[in-house]
Amino acid sequence: MAKILIIENEDTTRTSLKQILELNDFDVLIASNGIEGIKLAKRALPDLILCDVMMPVLNGHQVLKMLKKRSATATIPFIFLTAKSYQSNIREGMNLGADDYLIKPIKITDLLTCIQTKLQKKELQRQKSEVKLKTLRTNLSRSMPHELNTPLNGIIGLAKILTENSDPEVQELSQGIVESGERLHLTISKILIYTELELAKCSPEESSLIKSARTISTAPLIEVIAEQIAEKAHRKPDLQLKLQPGDISMSSFFFKRLLEELIDNAFKFSENGDAVIIRNHWDHDQMILTVQDHGRGMKPEQIAEVAAYMQFERKIYEQQGMGLGLVIAKYIAELQGGSFKISSQPEVGTAVQIELPLI
């Protein structure tokens, strides 16, 4: 149901317009003056605005000027309502960016036709924007790996050669280049994976997550990845595996990525000596995987706000990364037809549970 805001200081006209539009299945908001109308427009973001030209305090032209200054309201279709005696102001209003005008007394057919035309135009523009955005995202996701990773691999490779130099200072500087390059490589990889998953949400049948599905023996793969991450973090004694054998059908690349993000996150946000427990079990037609740490934990509002590019308490802990890990794991699980759940308590720890269908 389209939402229409009427800004009109004449009670009779305002009430009449409201009744007509509600009878034609529109959701109607009303404002008796320009200031009230601007506040309503900012708060409710209507699909279209009908606004009288001649009003006290703020006239219609001033209302339009103010709404055009804000990106959230600048593109809302805006139709002026004007009396015949003020037709000279029509050109001024159109120059300000109005979409159309209606002359009082307004015919019902003219009103409804004008509104439908503007709403259809707005919907068409929205659809075109979505197509352009999807095309841009697709092109970026396909071109970025080569354009970014190829020169970066060259930088890392040459820097590794320099680490073998006999000069200690050259070794130290080149090692810093290698570490920074590898960190950037990981960041680029996360962004590309996230982009691909966003695209997969729009067209899941075209996603490599679905197309590259194969049978995976879960326990051995979980064990290998968990031990690699624990060793890299110098925390192998903290790792506890409680795994049951079994197979699932999904992309091995994305299953590995899901494991890497969850396990790396558990080690990253817990301290040396804190146990990281990874367990799985089978419940009818799905595998339930749990990765549990005993680290800093999360607040309820943080759990509710798991979103892309958000890293909790960044200013306090100065943790490297962009906060994409949990989002990537969540998207992979959901696109596979599974689910993603977090339970956590501050200063106690966090448990992430993933449910994945067998097929």
Side-chain angles (χ1 to χ4, degrees):
M1 182 182 294
K3 185 188 303 179
I4 297 179
L5 170 61
I6 301 171
I7 307 174
E8 169 62 66
N9 67 306
E10 294 181 3
D11 292 341
T12 303
T13 303
R14 187 173 63 248
T15 301
S16 177
L17 288 172
K18 183 176 185 294
Q19 291 174 345
I20 291 169
L21 294 178
E22 287 181 338
L23 286 171
N24 284 273
D25 295 325
F26 290 107
D27 182 11
V28 183
L29 304 172
I30 56 172
S32 59
N33 59 68
I35 295 176
E36 182 184 346
I38 290 171
K39 290 179 180 179
L40 259 177
K42 290 178 180 179
R43 184 172 70 248
L45 297 177
D47 298 296
L48 184 142
I49 297 174
L50 297 172
C51 182
D52 189 19
V53 175
M54 302 305 296
M55 295 185 294
V57 186
L58 286 180
N59 63 37
H61 294 162
Q62 292 170 315
V63 170
L64 180 57
K65 281 182 182 179
M66 295 186 71
L67 293 179
K68 288 294 183 183
K69 290 180 180 180
R70 296 177 63 90
S71 59
T73 54
T75 60
I76 299 174
F78 196 100
I79 299 173
F80 275 126
L81 309 176
T82 182
K84 285 185 178 180
S85 57
Y86 296 110
Q87 287 190 60
S88 58
N89 292 326
I90 288 173
R91 178 47 51 194
E92 181 183 354
M94 299 300 285
N95 289 339
L96 290 172
D99 293 271
D100 210 336
Y101 64 91
L102 293 168
I103 296 176
K104 301 177 183 178
I106 302 168
K107 295 181 180 179
I108 295 177
T109 53
D110 291 345
L111 173 68
L112 297 177
T113 300
C114 183
I115 290 173
Q116 291 293 353
T117 300
K118 301 311 171 188
L119 291 177
Q120 288 171 4
K121 182 179 178 181
K122 180 182 179 182
E123 176 61 20
L124 183 60
Q125 290 173 337
R126 186 192 67 79
Q127 291 176 0
K128 288 181 178 179
S129 297
E130 283 189 355
V131 170
K132 288 181 179 179
L133 180 59
K134 184 177 179 180
T135 301
L136 175 62
R137 291 164 66 187
T138 302
N139 291 339
L140 283 174
S141 67
R142 290 172 179 171
S143 64
M144 280 181 65
H146 175 76
E147 297 298 327
L148 295 177
N149 285 330
T150 298
L152 184 58
N153 287 333
I155 293 170
I156 295 172
L158 292 172
K160 286 182 177 179
I161 294 174
L162 290 176
T163 60
E164 301 173 1
N165 192 287
S166 58
D167 187 332
E169 185 175 357
V170 174
Q171 288 182 356
E172 182 179 356
L173 292 173
S174 57
Q175 183 59 38
I177 296 172
V178 171
E179 292 173 359
S180 296
E182 289 177 342
R183 177 183 169 190
L184 180 57
H185 189 280
L186 178 61
T187 299
I188 292 171
S189 175
K190 283 179 179 286
I191 294 173
L192 295 175
I193 290 292
Y194 172 74
T195 303
E196 182 170 350
L197 292 171
E198 280 282 5
L199 291 171
K201 289 170 65 180
C202 300
S203 302
E205 68 281 356
E206 296 296 323
S207 168
S208 58
L209 178 67
I210 307 301
K211 287 185 174 182
S212 58
R214 57 185 290 266
T215 300
I216 301 172
S217 181
T218 57
L221 187 55
I222 295 171
E223 182 177 357
V224 168
I225 292 175
E227 289 181 349
Q228 287 175 346
I229 295 174
E231 185 172 0
K232 185 177 179 180
H234 307 292
R235 292 178 56 188
K236 286 198 74 173
D238 295 337
L239 177 63
Q240 297 181 22
L241 298 174
K242 302 178 180 180
L243 304 176
Q244 298 178 6
D247 299 339
I248 62 171
S249 178
M250 69 177 291
S251 161
S252 60
F253 172 83
F254 284 101
F255 184 61
K256 289 177 184 177
R257 197 74 200 207
L258 180 148
L259 294 173
E260 289 168 352
E261 299 297 349
L262 293 181
I263 299 170
D264 182 67
N265 193 76
F267 278 104
K268 185 184 295 182
F269 293 98
S270 61
E271 300 295 333
N272 189 23
D274 293 337
V276 172
I277 305 168
I278 304 171
R279 60 168 65 89
N280 74 328
H281 68 276
W282 306 89
D283 183 13
H284 301 296
D285 58 349
Q286 64 183 0
M287 181 188 77
I288 300 175
L289 171 70
T290 304
V291 179
Q292 181 178 0
D293 67 63
H294 295 83
R296 73 179 69 144
M298 298 162 60
K299 301 172 184 176
E301 58 269 25
Q302 292 173 325
I303 296 174
E305 293 175 356
V306 170
Y309 303 107
M310 176 181 293
Q311 187 181 82
F312 305 125
E313 309 295 353
R314 177 70 178 265
K315 293 180 180 179
I316 299 175
Y317 296 100
E318 290 301 319
Q319 181 66 53
Q320 293 182 353
M322 299 173 64
L324 278 173
L326 287 179
V327 180
I328 288 173
K330 180 176 184 290
Y331 280 11
I332 292 173
E334 291 176 349
L335 285 166
Q336 184 65 20
S339 63
F340 174 98
K341 300 176 184 177
I342 300 177
S343 58
S344 184
Q345 293 183 25
E347 308 306 325
V348 175
T350 299
V352 179
Q353 179 177 289
I354 300 288
E355 296 181 359
L356 295 172
L358 302 186
I359 299 177

